[in-house]
Amino acid sequence: MTIRIAGIGTSLPAKVVTNHDLAQHMDTSDEWIRERSGIGERRVGGITSEMALEAATNAIEKAGVVPADIEFVLLATCTPDQIFPATSTQIARGLGIRCGSMDVNAACAGFAYGYAAAYGMMLSPGGPDRMLVIGADSLSNFVNWTDRGTAILFGDGAGAAVLERHEQGALLGQDFGVAGDLREILYCDHDDTIVMEGREVFKRAVRAVTQSVQNALEQAGLTAADIDVVLPHQANIRIIEAVCTRLAIPMEKTHNVLEHTGNTSAGSIPLAMAAAEEAGALQPGTIVVMTGFGAGMAWGSVVVRW
Ligand code: UT7
């Protein structure tokens, strides 16, 4: 018995901030932001638990189950509502269920970590039959809106997946790593705003993601040519293009939402997944790579047979 994703749901806050809006009060332009990042607009004003609950509710509905069928809630986030309790407890509360729950913080790579952790839990003795894995972040609350180096990139959003035991679908390979010595290139202290050395993060991300996808593919006994769908962390379209060039994967195989969402951190891989599903790209047997990177510096990739 393996595990499939039975339903995907998303949530984005209502308020849209366009590049033109940002250019009103900082020295930047729509043209520069689009050319350097691929981002056109982002959603702001989100609360992590609210977006996560909405995405979870949508995923449960899509999976054709009810909240009582969920046996564990895993939330990947680096922007919890409070220091404690874990924000996942409030998602369980909102769903009206009393199963186990936990938060995972791997910053922007969180969904890949969460998926692999959930998969392992479900296959362990007595593990849950059905789990919610959610990626949700509200980084707009931690952006310095006068810093053009970061304000142009981040937005709020959430995506959720219902994982269930099934003969369809399997985790084929995985690769995770951190370089803790790179903390200084991207961090956010308590009660403060995001600090980032953009160019350095960019360079490191391209290298780390390329190597990570290669490692996960090798484990799966596959090559880049076997990949049908890439669900990359949505940070910058040029990072995605650079990784695809290095791996010789056509950009057409990637599914991207960043033009309209910006970088939603842990929300970005499941948001890209929902877009891929919408495009009809996720069929039984499809080989999918989810790959993320971010603060830590942490990265992670999973190769999945849909
Ligand atoms: O989840 C992980 C999160 N982080 C990332 O993935 C970030 C990765 N990094 C990036 O996406 C890019 O580094 C940025 C989009 C942040 C910046 O793009 P870049 O191509 O690396 O630009 P840069 O920092 O090298 O700056 C190039 C020029 C500089 O001017 P000079 O020195 O050449 O005169 C900057 O001052 O562009 C200037 N600049 C801007 N101009 C207009 C920097 N930010 C802006 C801006 N608008 N927003």
Side-chain angles (χ1 to χ4, degrees):
M1 192 58 79
T2 55
I3 289 161
R4 71 165 179 177
I5 291 180
I8 304 163
T10 63
S11 171
L12 292 168
K15 187 169 183 213
V16 178
V17 173
T18 66
N19 293 344
H20 295 291
D21 294 333
L22 293 179
Q24 302 283 311
H25 61 90
M26 64 176 70
D27 184 15
T28 190
S29 65
D30 177 56
E31 197 190 1
W32 192 96
I33 302 170
R34 282 183 188 273
E35 195 183 303
R36 297 296 180 113
S37 71
I39 296 166
E41 60 188 28
R42 68 286 296 143
R43 304 295 189 94
V44 305
I47 295 169
T48 297
S49 60
E50 288 181 6
M51 294 186 298
L53 179 59
E54 184 173 75
T57 303
N58 293 339
I60 288 169
E61 206 178 292
K62 282 276 189 61
V65 296
V66 294
D69 296 321
I70 302 297
E71 294 180 18
F72 203 102
V73 178
L74 188 157
L75 172 67
T77 189
C78 60
T79 50
D81 287 10
Q82 296 170 287
I83 290 176
F84 60 78
T87 303
S88 54
T89 64
Q90 300 310 297
I91 300 163
R93 177 191 191 174
L95 292 171
I97 55 178
R98 288 186 176 270
C99 61
S101 85
M102 67 177 172
D103 290 9
V104 165
N105 181 353
C108 299
F111 191 85
Y113 280 75
Y115 173 87
Y119 200 97
M121 280 182 73
M122 291 176 75
L123 290 185
S124 64
D129 287 327
R130 199 173 276 109
M131 272 181 81
L132 259 175
V133 179
I134 309 161
D137 269 309
S138 48
L139 280 176
S140 74
N141 298 306
F142 300 94
V143 165
N144 172 355
W145 289 101
T146 64
D147 173 17
R148 67 178 185 172
T150 52
I152 59 159
L153 292 180
F154 297 102
D156 304 338
V162 172
L163 271 58
E164 67 181 16
R165 288 176 201 260
H166 202 275
E167 62 275 7
Q168 176 207 325
L171 173 59
L172 305 176
Q174 55 185 302
D175 177 75
F176 296 99
V178 296
D181 53 313
L182 295 177
R183 185 196 87 98
E184 282 70 22
I185 65 172
L186 179 55
Y187 64 92
C188 182
D189 282 322
H190 286 295
D191 302 318
D192 212 336
T193 52
I194 299 168
V195 179
M196 183 176 80
E197 287 176 37
R199 216 179 293 189
E200 199 55 31
V201 174
F202 190 111
K203 264 189 347 212
R204 304 275 186 173
V206 171
R207 277 188 231 147
V209 170
T210 303
Q211 189 60 55
S212 181
V213 170
Q214 268 166 350
N215 292 348
L217 279 171
E218 197 174 315
Q219 242 196 31
L222 299 174
T223 68
D226 298 312
I227 299 175
D228 299 309
V229 168
V230 184
L231 306 176
H233 170 45
Q234 302 287 297
N236 185 320
I237 199 73
R238 291 189 300 129
I239 294 178
I240 298 169
E241 286 166 353
V243 169
C244 282
T245 301
R246 281 165 173 74
L247 292 170
I249 297 173
M251 271 300 279
E252 294 69 45
K253 292 187 174 180
T254 69
H255 291 262
N256 302 301
V257 295
L258 56 77
E259 183 183 357
H260 298 291
T261 63
N263 177 350
T264 55
S265 188
S268 79
I269 290 177
L271 282 167
M273 187 189 292
E277 189 193 41
E278 179 95 13
L282 300 175
Q283 300 299 328
T286 300
I287 301 296
V288 179
V289 174
M290 304 178 214
T291 184
F293 66 90
M297 190 177 166
W299 59 86
S301 305
V302 292
V303 178
V304 171
R305 189 179 61 241
W306 204 260

